[in-house]
Amino acid sequence: SILLQNYQISLTDLYGLEETSAIFIDIMAKVNFYGLLIGSIVFIVLFRKDLLSQIKQSVGKWLLIIKTTGIYYVIYILLATFYLSLVEPLLPSTSSQNQELVAMIAKSSPMLMIIATVFLAPFIEEFVFRYALINVENKSKFSKSLIISSLIFGFIHVYAGLQNGQFHELLFLPQYALMGYMMGLIYLKTDTLMGAIFFHIINNLIAVVALFA
């Protein structure tokens, strides 16, 4: 599901459908939702000990988690807004192809999109990009792993456009990488993944609300 959402592996080639067709969007919505749902269930079953460990580590830290998440989210919004204002003249649209795909899915299957985007995707992506890729225990390697995981996180969100020849999507890479970097810092500061997950949920929730506003 993550591959289909972010890389947009071409269902057009498989089914001979236009990307903007109702059938294609409906397929994407269902594959995205059920793929993330199944992935979340598998993740919980296989890594339940890690998940429980993260929850236990967050006990007694909720004030710190909320404060840290809030501060870093405000910083992210300010920096991202400033960056987009600089590159906006170079962009045909202020929305990446990934964001445009989410908007199309929202019109077709709003409830599936909301559950997948606001809850399931942040859960899986934070365990993959922050928990798995960032080595918190070895502080000497943290900076390197944080940068690498942030760049991978950014790249995976713009690859769809690059694959389709839209090389201006590279201009969105710093924005996504910055988001990944901020969530990584929250992970470091709070020593639990819960803050990064909340950051991701808040960001996606605001984006979804904006779609329906």
Side-chain angles (χ1 to χ4, degrees), residues 108-147:
S108 172
S109 306
M111 284 307 300
L112 294 185
M113 187 279 298
I114 290 172
I115 295 173
T117 302
V118 178
F119 299 105
L120 300 179
F123 172 74
I124 289 183
E125 289 185 13
E126 290 316 299
F127 262 91
V128 171
F129 292 105
R130 251 56 66 184
Y131 187 75
L133 293 182
I134 295 178
N135 187 350
V136 177
E137 295 180 359
N138 190 334
K139 295 295 189 296
S140 64
K141 295 181 179 180
F142 180 82
S143 297
K144 183 178 179 180
S145 58
L146 173 58
I147 293 173

Side-chain angles (χ1 to χ4, degrees), residues 11-13 15-25 28 104:
L11 286 178
T12 304
D13 294 338
Y15 296 97
L17 303 172
E18 292 295 329
E19 285 192 358
T20 53
S21 72
I23 299 176
F24 176 84
I25 299 303
M28 286 295 297
M104 288 190 291

